[in-house]
């Protein structure tokens, strides 16, 4: 799902009041521009750093083989996550333009393609985050198994295969979406809801369960298992080291689960509310959610900015890589100027 594209009203977000006072036409372009600049810049920097790590041996090869393997597998998943979020950001301008113009002006093909990409990329991103949580669980709780399972080439194949269920979940968007003038939105052509009310409800609920609730539960269980393991290990000989790591993992895991939930729950909640009202057989115009629809949309788009911060930039090693990247860039500029 991307900004009401799994079965809500349409790709414009026409759940709010239209007219000159429409808050979407004012706020959405501003927030979308900021999100686009920060997201593209952040993920581009992430990809550059991770690719540089791979070129110099996927991390510090002087460490143990186990640490190198698990570290490189994490880098593979972070790289896949950034690629999915960049693809998600690539379709943001279409949504922004549709909101500003209050109509879909890009034709039937792009209506279907943008809807498909939005659903597939957001689902792949959620699946990748859940896989990252599982890999970290294996690394901490089952290090021997992690050394055997989390080989870089296996993780790379797994990251690619995650797109299979994501694309399958988005396939109805590609097949059934169309451009038209639905009876609820007389203000222009829209890329609108693609199935009957009952079928939309079924599809929306299924998308919610598979692309939101399942990754969320998986992530929570994985980090909960890490925390329980560290709690049970705090009286060992490595008590001080475990205590420090336990505090870091607790804070990180809480932020990961909280950010994922806060970013996507408003959008899914709005979508399910719209579907519930439609399915109830209510007559008249569609429900108007005003500022909440704008808030839900901004929260969903901001997930692409939150990911590099919460999943990558919290790492001290990554912060060091950023400094090296900027120092090298500054050095290159000085050499060119000389």
């Amino acid at each position: 799902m991307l900004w009401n594209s799994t079965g809500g009203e349409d790709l414009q977000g026409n759940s709010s009041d239209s007219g000159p006072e429409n808050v979407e036409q004012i706020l959405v372009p501003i927030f979308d521009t900021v999100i686009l600049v920060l997201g593209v810049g952040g993920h581009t920097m992430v990809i550059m750093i991770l690719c540089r790590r791979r070129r110099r041996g996927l991390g510090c090869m002087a460490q143990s083989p186990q640490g190198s393997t698990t570290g490189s597998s994490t880098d593979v998943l972070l790289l896949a996550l950034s690629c999915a979020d960049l693809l998600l950001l690539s379709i943001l301008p279409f949504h922004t333009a549709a909101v500003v113009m209050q109509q879909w002006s890009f034709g039937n093909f792009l209506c279907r393609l943008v809807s498909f990409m939005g659903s597939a990329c957001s689902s792949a991103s959620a699946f990748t985050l859940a896989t990252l949580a599982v890999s970290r669980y294996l690394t901490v709780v089952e290090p021997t198994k992690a050394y055997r399972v989390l080989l870089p080439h296996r993780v790379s194949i797994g990251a690619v295969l995650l797109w299979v269920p994501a694309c399958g979940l988005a396939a109805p968007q590609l097949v059934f979406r169309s451009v038209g003038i639905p009876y609820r939105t007389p203000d222009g052509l829209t890329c609108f809801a693609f199935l009957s009310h009952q079928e939309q409800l079924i599809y929306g609920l299924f998308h919610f369960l598979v692309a939101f609730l399942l990754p969320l539960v998986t992530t929570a269980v994985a980090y909960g298992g890490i925390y329980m393991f560290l709690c049970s290990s705090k009286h060992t000989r490595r008590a001080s080291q475990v205590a420090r790591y336990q505090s870091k993992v607790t804070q990180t895991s809480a932020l990961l689960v909280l950010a994922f939930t806060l970013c996507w729950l408003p959008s899914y909640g709005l979508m399910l509310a719209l579907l519930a009202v439609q399915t109830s057989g209510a007559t008249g115009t569609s429900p108007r959610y005003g500022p909440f629809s704008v808030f839900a949309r901004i929260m969903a788009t901001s997930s692409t900015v939150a990911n590099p911060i919460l999943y990558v930039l919290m790492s001290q090693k990554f912060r060091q890589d950023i400094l090296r990247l900027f120092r090298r860039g500054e050095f290159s500029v000085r050499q060119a100027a000389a």
Side-chain angles (χ1 to χ4, degrees):
M1 171 183 145
L2 178 64
W3 317 312
N4 256 5
S5 66
T6 57
E9 295 265 312
D10 53 59
L11 287 184
Q12 295 179 48
N14 281 334
S15 58
S16 60
D17 293 325
S18 59
E21 301 81 17
N22 191 344
V23 69
E24 288 179 313
Q25 292 179 283
I26 300 173
L27 292 182
V28 167
I30 297 174
F31 280 101
D32 282 1
T33 300
V34 173
I35 289 170
L36 190 63
V37 171
L38 293 178
V40 172
H43 286 294
T44 300
M45 184 170 57
V46 168
I47 291 173
M48 290 176 61
I49 290 175
L50 294 178
C51 289
R52 190 182 296 273
R53 284 184 187 178
R54 292 178 65 85
R55 285 198 299 268
R56 68 171 185 253
L58 297 171
C60 184
M61 298 303 294
Q63 296 178 353
S64 65
Q66 177 179 321
S68 174
T69 300
T70 55
S72 60
S73 65
T74 299
D75 288 350
V76 169
L77 292 173
L78 293 175
L79 183 61
L81 179 63
S82 287
C83 290
D85 283 344
L86 275 179
L87 286 174
L88 199 60
L89 286 167
S90 70
I91 64 174
L92 180 59
F94 293 100
H95 293 266
T96 308
V99 170
V100 172
M101 296 184 294
Q102 285 295 289
Q103 69 174 17
W104 182 263
S105 304
F106 307 106
N108 193 62
F109 173 75
L110 281 178
C111 167
R112 297 185 177 194
L113 181 62
V114 168
S115 301
F116 171 80
M117 288 185 61
S119 177
C121 292
S122 59
S123 298
S125 179
F127 296 157
T128 302
L129 295 178
T131 304
L132 180 61
V134 173
S135 72
R136 288 177 174 176
Y137 173 84
L138 291 176
T139 301
V140 175
V141 181
E142 300 284 349
T144 303
K145 183 182 294 186
Y147 177 66
R148 296 196 308 266
V149 174
L150 299 179
L151 298 176
H153 71 278
R154 289 184 178 179
V155 176
S156 299
I157 295 174
V160 173
L161 291 178
L162 290 176
W163 282 88
V164 175
C167 290
L169 195 60
Q173 305 279 350
L174 191 62
V175 176
F176 297 111
R177 281 273 180 178
S178 61
V179 173
I181 308 179
Y183 67 91
R184 301 183 193 84
T185 53
D187 49 354
L189 292 175
T190 61
C191 180
F192 64 95
F194 54 97
L195 298 170
S196 69
H197 295 338
Q198 183 177 2
E199 290 169 330
Q200 285 181 55
L201 180 60
I202 294 173
Y203 177 73
L205 286 174
F206 184 73
H207 203 290
F208 169 77
L209 292 174
V210 175
F212 177 77
L213 191 59
L214 179 60
L216 177 62
V217 171
T218 302
T219 303
V221 170
Y223 284 111
I226 294 174
Y227 176 70
M228 295 299 294
F229 174 80
L230 293 176
C231 285
S232 64
S233 305
K234 64 182 179 180
H235 298 299
T236 63
R237 290 178 298 178
R238 298 164 56 202
S240 59
Q241 179 182 355
V242 170
R244 290 194 300 269
Y245 188 53
Q246 174 184 330
S247 176
K248 182 178 179 180
V249 168
T250 303
Q251 295 174 6
T252 303
S253 59
L255 287 175
L256 296 179
V257 177
L258 183 62
F260 182 77
T261 304
L262 291 180
C263 284
W264 285 107
L265 187 57
S267 184
Y268 275 103
L270 179 61
M271 180 267 294
L272 293 175
L274 288 169
L275 294 179
V277 171
Q278 292 172 2
T279 307
S280 67
T283 59
T285 59
S286 59
R288 305 296 183 178
Y289 290 90
F292 183 77
S293 65
V294 180
F295 170 75
R297 186 186 187 282
I298 292 173
M299 289 300 295
T301 56
S302 66
S303 66
T304 57
V305 178
N307 283 339
I309 296 175
L310 295 179
Y311 291 88
V312 183
L313 297 183
M314 291 180 69
S315 168
Q316 182 179 359
K317 181 180 178 181
F318 191 84
R319 290 195 294 270
Q320 293 172 351
D321 287 335
I322 292 177
L323 291 176
R324 294 193 196 100
L325 185 65
F326 279 107
R327 288 171 182 170
R328 183 167 299 185
E330 183 180 353
F331 178 74
S332 300
V333 170
R334 289 179 179 176
Q335 276 191 327

